[in-house]
Amino acid sequence: MPSYKAPARETRFILNEVLKLESYGNLPGFENAGPDIVDAVIEEAGKFIAEVIAPLNLSGDQEGCTRNADGSVTAPKGFKQAYEAFRESGWGTLSHPEAFGGQGMPHVLGFVVEEFLCAANQSFAMYSGLTNGAVSAIIAKGSPEQQQMYLPKMISGEWTGTMNLTEPHCGTDLGMIRTKAVPQADGSYAITGTKIFISAGEHDLTSNIIHLVLAKTPDAPDSTKGISLFIVPKFVLDAQGNPGERNAVSCGAIEHKMGIHGNATCVLNYDGATGWLVGDENKGLAAMFIMMNAARLGVGIQGLAQAEVAYQNGVLYAGDRRQGRALTGPADPTEKADHLFVHPDVRRMLMDAKAFTEAMRALALWGGLLVDLSHKAATEEERALADATISLLTPVIKGYGTDKGFETAVNMQQIWGGHGYIAENGMEQFVRDARITQIYEGANGVQAMDLVGRKLALNGGAAIQAFFATVDKECGDAKGGAKGEERLADLASRLEKANGELKAATMWFVQNGMANPNNVGAGAYHYMDMMGVISLGLMWLRMGQAAIAALAAGTTETAFYEAKLVTAQYFGERFTPDVGALRRKIEAGSATMMALPIEAFATV
Ligand SMILES: Cc1cc2nc3c(=O)[nH]c(=O)nc-3n(C[C@H](O)[C@H](O)[C@H](O)COP(=O)(O)OP(=O)(O)OC[C@H]3O[C@@H](n4cnc5c(N)ncnc54)[C@H](O)[C@@H]3O)c2cc1C
């Protein structure tokens, strides 16, 4: 059975030494986020999640969810008790507003707990994860009455929430939604239609489920401009605000799928179910985007989390399994064979995984901090910059983070050889669970289009220009020559060059995208990958700077900080060279890609 421990030291390093959370102590919510509290959250949440949630990962995968004859759904054995313990622990309420029963702590701490939960058990984490998305939409767009009715119990975990976008004929193209919402005399709406693939759509963990549903009113435009958002509770609330009459929403089936077996992926049938409009009619997509942006960052964290747990188990196996001899001669002459660790090709996979997961954690947590700063920073200018930066980075965190997360899970499975393919060892589950992260919340190709088609043009290109400037400045600083900084000079030079390639690719889109939009579509994915590498490179510069500072201050944890500098160097050598090749792919344009007629793809 695979194991999981929360990466406490790594997380403390990022929060305290790289992001320096303490320096934001003047902002609301941060006053209680000093190193002691941060340490307590990391240690206690990490311990609880590793001890209570992680042991249910493999069994939940093997058992899956069960749809009973009456349409109810039972989560795998142990999930209900673990959910109750999770609820009582209060870890789910950490960064929700105090006004609705949350603890009002920074989002960045909520992201920490989210990573631990997803690494321990992604299926389990999704029951509360989807609720968080629904909560953010109600906070942003719900009426004060709706907020009072639903938020306290959703935040406390007494009820869960879902997101209902997808229908059988439409996933990416939500303008085609057919679910209807007919206004009723009492101000409610009758919702009718079929939603598919609804995560945590039905289960036995809580006494109510609050569905957030996209639908169209009868006279609405038949496009994205005609979508509205509705709250449809499984049980309509009675006068006291408790679950009352059963609403006309039922689970028609649960999907049998590749991974995340412990989370019920449901077909939900709405047969004139009672729903209430959230925000204005025809403005549902904007409200849903609030939920989706939060959820997209959450999915990026899932990618990191699967990489982390797979990496932990890859490291354990490489240190345990003995096969062959080191190329340079026996490393362990008293044994019949050396550990897998001696083989450079195994090291390649482990170093790739280490270089990715550590920087991805830094990027995701910086993302969490930017979410906080976009609301709470002292000046309007700082809030706007934080908002623009996280908008730009969201598709990168989701798209690049999950692609590399999956790749890392596959590589760690590879280290286990044939044993990685055997179910009871758990490595193949990480691969299967990681795979969905590349698909849901907008498939990664759609993330790439969001980045290039929408985010680059944000505020006249101000966000990407600010990103270029940040990378250039921090590369310049790292090459600046203060004591110890020569250790980062090579990475800084490579990253500066990569940033130049990214600027050139951006310019190429400007020059070639208008004439032929296919040129943008053909290069968008490569551009997302370029930004992924450069964003992680920036994180390695920051982590490297923090390591140099700690070493200069005479830390006793020399090995920890030296490893940071070696891994930063590795990232520069092994990740940044891809950026030039990606730029050349972009500049090849779309002509050849789009040249063949559809019939030419047929092989039979
Ligand atoms: C396990 C699971 C859980 C899910 N949970 C939920 C949930 O809780 N709520 C919910 O509403 N949905 C959920 N989904 C649905 C998921 O979000 C969609 O499957 C996903 O958004 C893609 O939509 P689709 O499957 O219809 O694919 P399509 O939209 O048909 O896309 C197919 C392919 O074409 C590409 N493509 C489509 N349009 C474009 C374009 N314009 N430009 C470039 N490429 C394009 C896509 O990238 C993709 O690779 C879930 C799905 C699964 C499998």
Side-chain angles (χ1 to χ4, degrees), residues 163-166 171-172 197-199 257 260 265 436 439-443 446:
M163 290 172 54
N164 288 235
L165 292 76
T166 309
T172 303
F197 299 162
I198 305 308
S199 298
K257 55 194 193 289
I260 53 167
T265 307
I436 186 59
I439 298 173
Y440 59 18
E441 287 306 334
V446 173

PDB file of all heavy atoms in Angstrom, residues 163-166 171-172 197-199 257 260 265 436 439-443 446, ligand 1:
ATOM      1  N   MET A 163     -21.343  21.779  -9.045  1.00  0.00           N
ATOM      2  CA  MET A 163     -21.377  22.661 -10.218  1.00  0.00           C
ATOM      3  C   MET A 163     -22.018  21.887 -11.356  1.00  0.00           C
ATOM      4  O   MET A 163     -21.502  20.845 -11.745  1.00  0.00           O
ATOM      5  CB  MET A 163     -19.953  22.995 -10.666  1.00  0.00           C
ATOM      6  CG  MET A 163     -19.200  23.898  -9.748  1.00  0.00           C
ATOM      7  SD  MET A 163     -17.463  24.034 -10.257  1.00  0.00           S
ATOM      8  CE  MET A 163     -17.593  24.535 -11.953  1.00  0.00           C
ATOM      9  N   ASN A 164     -23.107  22.409 -11.894  1.00  0.00           N
ATOM     10  CA  ASN A 164     -23.812  21.705 -12.983  1.00  0.00           C
ATOM     11  C   ASN A 164     -23.743  22.509 -14.271  1.00  0.00           C
ATOM     12  O   ASN A 164     -24.594  23.371 -14.524  1.00  0.00           O
ATOM     13  CB  ASN A 164     -25.291  21.527 -12.636  1.00  0.00           C
ATOM     14  CG  ASN A 164     -25.536  20.500 -11.551  1.00  0.00           C
ATOM     15  OD1 ASN A 164     -26.298  19.560 -11.739  1.00  0.00           O
ATOM     16  ND2 ASN A 164     -24.909  20.678 -10.402  1.00  0.00           N
ATOM     17  N   LEU A 165     -22.722  22.242 -15.075  1.00  0.00           N
ATOM     18  CA  LEU A 165     -22.596  22.911 -16.371  1.00  0.00           C
ATOM     19  C   LEU A 165     -22.895  21.925 -17.502  1.00  0.00           C
ATOM     20  O   LEU A 165     -23.698  22.186 -18.381  1.00  0.00           O
ATOM     21  CB  LEU A 165     -21.163  23.440 -16.567  1.00  0.00           C
ATOM     22  CG  LEU A 165     -20.652  24.566 -15.705  1.00  0.00           C
ATOM     23  CD1 LEU A 165     -20.303  24.112 -14.308  1.00  0.00           C
ATOM     24  CD2 LEU A 165     -19.422  25.187 -16.338  1.00  0.00           C
ATOM     25  N   THR A 166     -22.206  20.786 -17.450  1.00  0.00           N
ATOM     26  CA  THR A 166     -22.118  19.897 -18.603  1.00  0.00           C
ATOM     27  C   THR A 166     -23.442  19.188 -18.901  1.00  0.00           C
ATOM     28  O   THR A 166     -24.138  18.740 -17.993  1.00  0.00           O
ATOM     29  CB  THR A 166     -21.011  18.853 -18.350  1.00  0.00           C
ATOM     30  OG1 THR A 166     -19.824  19.552 -17.958  1.00  0.00           O
ATOM     31  CG2 THR A 166     -20.729  18.023 -19.572  1.00  0.00           C
ATOM     32  N   GLY A 171     -20.046  20.488 -23.496  1.00  0.00           N
ATOM     33  CA  GLY A 171     -19.156  20.589 -22.341  1.00  0.00           C
ATOM     34  C   GLY A 171     -18.389  21.895 -22.425  1.00  0.00           C
ATOM     35  O   GLY A 171     -18.590  22.822 -21.644  1.00  0.00           O
ATOM     36  N   THR A 172     -17.541  22.002 -23.460  1.00  0.00           N
ATOM     37  CA  THR A 172     -16.779  23.236 -23.657  1.00  0.00           C
ATOM     38  C   THR A 172     -17.705  24.361 -24.111  1.00  0.00           C
ATOM     39  O   THR A 172     -17.605  25.494 -23.626  1.00  0.00           O
ATOM     40  CB  THR A 172     -15.681  23.017 -24.724  1.00  0.00           C
ATOM     41  OG1 THR A 172     -14.852  21.938 -24.310  1.00  0.00           O
ATOM     42  CG2 THR A 172     -14.852  24.262 -24.934  1.00  0.00           C
ATOM     43  N   PHE A 197     -21.989  14.059 -15.823  1.00  0.00           N
ATOM     44  CA  PHE A 197     -20.624  14.168 -15.267  1.00  0.00           C
ATOM     45  C   PHE A 197     -20.585  15.079 -14.039  1.00  0.00           C
ATOM     46  O   PHE A 197     -19.612  15.821 -13.845  1.00  0.00           O
ATOM     47  CB  PHE A 197     -19.630  14.718 -16.300  1.00  0.00           C
ATOM     48  CG  PHE A 197     -19.457  13.901 -17.553  1.00  0.00           C
ATOM     49  CD1 PHE A 197     -18.887  14.473 -18.708  1.00  0.00           C
ATOM     50  CD2 PHE A 197     -19.811  12.575 -17.602  1.00  0.00           C
ATOM     51  CE1 PHE A 197     -18.686  13.740 -19.857  1.00  0.00           C
ATOM     52  CE2 PHE A 197     -19.623  11.822 -18.761  1.00  0.00           C
ATOM     53  CZ  PHE A 197     -19.061  12.410 -19.890  1.00  0.00           C
ATOM     54  N   ILE A 198     -21.613  15.089 -13.218  1.00  0.00           N
ATOM     55  CA  ILE A 198     -21.623  16.023 -12.084  1.00  0.00           C
ATOM     56  C   ILE A 198     -20.923  15.378 -10.884  1.00  0.00           C
ATOM     57  O   ILE A 198     -21.415  14.417 -10.284  1.00  0.00           O
ATOM     58  CB  ILE A 198     -23.062  16.455 -11.740  1.00  0.00           C
ATOM     59  CG1 ILE A 198     -23.732  17.044 -12.986  1.00  0.00           C
ATOM     60  CG2 ILE A 198     -23.048  17.460 -10.582  1.00  0.00           C
ATOM     61  CD1 ILE A 198     -22.936  18.153 -13.702  1.00  0.00           C
ATOM     62  N   SER A 199     -19.763  15.933 -10.559  1.00  0.00           N
ATOM     63  CA  SER A 199     -18.955  15.402  -9.461  1.00  0.00           C
ATOM     64  C   SER A 199     -19.671  15.612  -8.138  1.00  0.00           C
ATOM     65  O   SER A 199     -20.228  16.699  -7.897  1.00  0.00           O
ATOM     66  CB  SER A 199     -17.605  16.129  -9.400  1.00  0.00           C
ATOM     67  OG  SER A 199     -16.902  15.916 -10.582  1.00  0.00           O
ATOM     68  N   LYS A 257     -15.705   4.904 -14.475  1.00  0.00           N
ATOM     69  CA  LYS A 257     -14.696   5.738 -15.118  1.00  0.00           C
ATOM     70  C   LYS A 257     -13.279   5.306 -14.777  1.00  0.00           C
ATOM     71  O   LYS A 257     -13.064   4.432 -13.936  1.00  0.00           O
ATOM     72  CB  LYS A 257     -14.936   7.203 -14.740  1.00  0.00           C
ATOM     73  CG  LYS A 257     -14.992   7.476 -13.235  1.00  0.00           C
ATOM     74  CD  LYS A 257     -15.576   8.857 -12.983  1.00  0.00           C
ATOM     75  CE  LYS A 257     -15.368   9.322 -11.554  1.00  0.00           C
ATOM     76  NZ  LYS A 257     -16.174   8.607 -10.554  1.00  0.00           N
ATOM     77  N   ILE A 260     -10.593   8.432  -9.961  1.00  0.00           N
ATOM     78  CA  ILE A 260     -11.409   9.055  -8.907  1.00  0.00           C
ATOM     79  C   ILE A 260     -12.697   8.256  -8.638  1.00  0.00           C
ATOM     80  O   ILE A 260     -13.801   8.811  -8.615  1.00  0.00           O
ATOM     81  CB  ILE A 260     -11.688  10.566  -9.167  1.00  0.00           C
ATOM     82  CG1 ILE A 260     -12.281  10.837 -10.550  1.00  0.00           C
ATOM     83  CG2 ILE A 260     -10.450  11.387  -8.925  1.00  0.00           C
ATOM     84  CD1 ILE A 260     -12.861  12.269 -10.690  1.00  0.00           C
ATOM     85  N   THR A 265     -19.625  10.442  -9.876  1.00  0.00           N
ATOM     86  CA  THR A 265     -19.812  11.294 -11.054  1.00  0.00           C
ATOM     87  C   THR A 265     -21.201  10.965 -11.608  1.00  0.00           C
ATOM     88  O   THR A 265     -21.421   9.872 -12.119  1.00  0.00           O
ATOM     89  CB  THR A 265     -18.725  10.999 -12.112  1.00  0.00           C
ATOM     90  OG1 THR A 265     -17.445  11.089 -11.487  1.00  0.00           O
ATOM     91  CG2 THR A 265     -18.797  11.969 -13.267  1.00  0.00           C
ATOM     92  N   ILE A 436      -7.743  12.838 -14.956  1.00  0.00           N
ATOM     93  CA  ILE A 436      -8.950  13.668 -15.122  1.00  0.00           C
ATOM     94  C   ILE A 436      -8.634  15.154 -14.968  1.00  0.00           C
ATOM     95  O   ILE A 436      -9.313  16.016 -15.544  1.00  0.00           O
ATOM     96  CB  ILE A 436     -10.066  13.237 -14.126  1.00  0.00           C
ATOM     97  CG1 ILE A 436     -11.376  13.996 -14.396  1.00  0.00           C
ATOM     98  CG2 ILE A 436      -9.648  13.436 -12.679  1.00  0.00           C
ATOM     99  CD1 ILE A 436     -11.946  13.822 -15.780  1.00  0.00           C
ATOM    100  N   ILE A 439      -8.572  17.168 -17.957  1.00  0.00           N
ATOM    101  CA  ILE A 439      -9.796  17.220 -18.765  1.00  0.00           C
ATOM    102  C   ILE A 439     -10.851  18.144 -18.163  1.00  0.00           C
ATOM    103  O   ILE A 439     -11.416  18.994 -18.860  1.00  0.00           O
ATOM    104  CB  ILE A 439     -10.375  15.791 -18.928  1.00  0.00           C
ATOM    105  CG1 ILE A 439      -9.375  14.897 -19.668  1.00  0.00           C
ATOM    106  CG2 ILE A 439     -11.718  15.840 -19.652  1.00  0.00           C
ATOM    107  CD1 ILE A 439      -9.766  13.428 -19.732  1.00  0.00           C
ATOM    108  N   TYR A 440     -11.150  17.973 -16.843  1.00  0.00           N
ATOM    109  CA  TYR A 440     -12.300  18.751 -16.347  1.00  0.00           C
ATOM    110  C   TYR A 440     -11.925  20.183 -15.971  1.00  0.00           C
ATOM    111  O   TYR A 440     -10.770  20.553 -16.022  1.00  0.00           O
ATOM    112  CB  TYR A 440     -13.083  18.019 -15.260  1.00  0.00           C
ATOM    113  CG  TYR A 440     -12.401  17.584 -13.970  1.00  0.00           C
ATOM    114  CD1 TYR A 440     -11.208  18.101 -13.522  1.00  0.00           C
ATOM    115  CD2 TYR A 440     -13.035  16.617 -13.178  1.00  0.00           C
ATOM    116  CE1 TYR A 440     -10.656  17.689 -12.324  1.00  0.00           C
ATOM    117  CE2 TYR A 440     -12.491  16.194 -11.976  1.00  0.00           C
ATOM    118  CZ  TYR A 440     -11.297  16.740 -11.559  1.00  0.00           C
ATOM    119  OH  TYR A 440     -10.760  16.331 -10.383  1.00  0.00           O
ATOM    120  N   GLU A 441     -12.958  20.957 -15.680  1.00  0.00           N
ATOM    121  CA  GLU A 441     -12.801  22.416 -15.478  1.00  0.00           C
ATOM    122  C   GLU A 441     -12.229  23.096 -16.715  1.00  0.00           C
ATOM    123  O   GLU A 441     -11.437  24.039 -16.606  1.00  0.00           O
ATOM    124  CB  GLU A 441     -11.896  22.715 -14.277  1.00  0.00           C
ATOM    125  CG  GLU A 441     -12.504  22.450 -12.950  1.00  0.00           C
ATOM    126  CD  GLU A 441     -13.832  23.145 -12.755  1.00  0.00           C
ATOM    127  OE1 GLU A 441     -14.061  24.180 -13.397  1.00  0.00           O
ATOM    128  OE2 GLU A 441     -14.636  22.628 -11.973  1.00  0.00           O
ATOM    129  N   GLY A 442     -12.615  22.601 -17.885  1.00  0.00           N
ATOM    130  CA  GLY A 442     -12.067  23.112 -19.134  1.00  0.00           C
ATOM    131  C   GLY A 442     -10.839  22.307 -19.484  1.00  0.00           C
ATOM    132  O   GLY A 442      -9.815  22.361 -18.774  1.00  0.00           O
ATOM    133  N   ALA A 443     -10.944  21.520 -20.558  1.00  0.00           N
ATOM    134  CA  ALA A 443      -9.811  20.689 -20.991  1.00  0.00           C
ATOM    135  C   ALA A 443      -8.591  21.592 -21.213  1.00  0.00           C
ATOM    136  O   ALA A 443      -8.738  22.793 -21.464  1.00  0.00           O
ATOM    137  CB  ALA A 443     -10.184  19.935 -22.261  1.00  0.00           C
ATOM    138  N   VAL A 446      -8.354  24.077 -23.920  1.00  0.00           N
ATOM    139  CA  VAL A 446      -9.207  25.246 -23.718  1.00  0.00           C
ATOM    140  C   VAL A 446      -8.526  26.234 -22.769  1.00  0.00           C
ATOM    141  O   VAL A 446      -8.649  27.456 -22.917  1.00  0.00           O
ATOM    142  CB  VAL A 446     -10.593  24.787 -23.198  1.00  0.00           C
ATOM    143  CG1 VAL A 446     -11.473  25.958 -22.816  1.00  0.00           C
ATOM    144  CG2 VAL A 446     -11.261  23.917 -24.256  1.00  0.00           C
TER     145      VAL A 446
HETATM  146  C1  LIG B   1     -14.957  12.594 -13.984  1.00  0.00           C
HETATM  147  C2  LIG B   1     -15.532  13.859 -14.482  1.00  0.00           C
HETATM  148  C3  LIG B   1     -16.025  14.790 -13.594  1.00  0.00           C
HETATM  149  C4  LIG B   1     -16.605  15.967 -14.059  1.00  0.00           C
HETATM  150  N1  LIG B   1     -17.173  16.847 -13.186  1.00  0.00           N
HETATM  151  C5  LIG B   1     -17.950  17.855 -13.663  1.00  0.00           C
HETATM  152  C6  LIG B   1     -18.753  18.654 -12.784  1.00  0.00           C
HETATM  153  O1  LIG B   1     -18.714  18.503 -11.566  1.00  0.00           O
HETATM  154  N2  LIG B   1     -19.572  19.590 -13.332  1.00  0.00           N
HETATM  155  C7  LIG B   1     -19.645  19.803 -14.674  1.00  0.00           C
HETATM  156  O2  LIG B   1     -20.415  20.651 -15.111  1.00  0.00           O
HETATM  157  N3  LIG B   1     -18.873  19.084 -15.535  1.00  0.00           N
HETATM  158  C8  LIG B   1     -18.044  18.113 -15.061  1.00  0.00           C
HETATM  159  N4  LIG B   1     -17.289  17.359 -15.922  1.00  0.00           N
HETATM  160  C9  LIG B   1     -17.323  17.677 -17.327  1.00  0.00           C
HETATM  161  C10 LIG B   1     -15.997  18.275 -17.825  1.00  0.00           C
HETATM  162  O3  LIG B   1     -15.814  19.556 -17.303  1.00  0.00           O
HETATM  163  C11 LIG B   1     -16.050  18.236 -19.362  1.00  0.00           C
HETATM  164  O4  LIG B   1     -15.950  16.887 -19.738  1.00  0.00           O
HETATM  165  C12 LIG B   1     -14.952  19.068 -19.991  1.00  0.00           C
HETATM  166  O5  LIG B   1     -15.153  20.423 -19.741  1.00  0.00           O
HETATM  167  C13 LIG B   1     -14.873  18.862 -21.509  1.00  0.00           C
HETATM  168  O6  LIG B   1     -16.139  18.882 -22.098  1.00  0.00           O
HETATM  169  P1  LIG B   1     -16.582  17.691 -23.049  1.00  0.00           P
HETATM  170  O7  LIG B   1     -16.349  16.410 -22.350  1.00  0.00           O
HETATM  171  O8  LIG B   1     -17.957  17.944 -23.529  1.00  0.00           O
HETATM  172  O9  LIG B   1     -15.581  17.758 -24.261  1.00  0.00           O
HETATM  173  P2  LIG B   1     -15.751  18.667 -25.596  1.00  0.00           P
HETATM  174  O10 LIG B   1     -16.207  20.028 -25.262  1.00  0.00           O
HETATM  175  O11 LIG B   1     -16.557  17.900 -26.580  1.00  0.00           O
HETATM  176  O12 LIG B   1     -14.241  18.739 -26.064  1.00  0.00           O
HETATM  177  C14 LIG B   1     -13.561  17.639 -26.666  1.00  0.00           C
HETATM  178  C15 LIG B   1     -12.134  18.054 -27.003  1.00  0.00           C
HETATM  179  O13 LIG B   1     -12.160  19.120 -27.938  1.00  0.00           O
HETATM  180  C16 LIG B   1     -11.431  20.230 -27.451  1.00  0.00           C
HETATM  181  N5  LIG B   1     -12.163  21.467 -27.767  1.00  0.00           N
HETATM  182  C17 LIG B   1     -13.483  21.692 -27.677  1.00  0.00           C
HETATM  183  N6  LIG B   1     -13.763  22.953 -28.024  1.00  0.00           N
HETATM  184  C18 LIG B   1     -12.606  23.543 -28.324  1.00  0.00           C
HETATM  185  C19 LIG B   1     -12.247  24.858 -28.737  1.00  0.00           C
HETATM  186  N7  LIG B   1     -13.152  25.817 -28.898  1.00  0.00           N
HETATM  187  N8  LIG B   1     -10.944  25.118 -28.964  1.00  0.00           N
HETATM  188  C20 LIG B   1     -10.001  24.153 -28.790  1.00  0.00           C
HETATM  189  N9  LIG B   1     -10.288  22.911 -28.408  1.00  0.00           N
HETATM  190  C21 LIG B   1     -11.574  22.605 -28.165  1.00  0.00           C
HETATM  191  C22 LIG B   1     -11.341  20.052 -25.957  1.00  0.00           C
HETATM  192  O14 LIG B   1     -10.166  20.635 -25.440  1.00  0.00           O
HETATM  193  C23 LIG B   1     -11.317  18.549 -25.808  1.00  0.00           C
HETATM  194  O15 LIG B   1     -10.001  18.076 -25.913  1.00  0.00           O
HETATM  195  C24 LIG B   1     -16.664  16.211 -15.457  1.00  0.00           C
HETATM  196  C25 LIG B   1     -16.127  15.274 -16.350  1.00  0.00           C
HETATM  197  C26 LIG B   1     -15.590  14.104 -15.886  1.00  0.00           C
HETATM  198  C27 LIG B   1     -15.085  13.101 -16.889  1.00  0.00           C
END
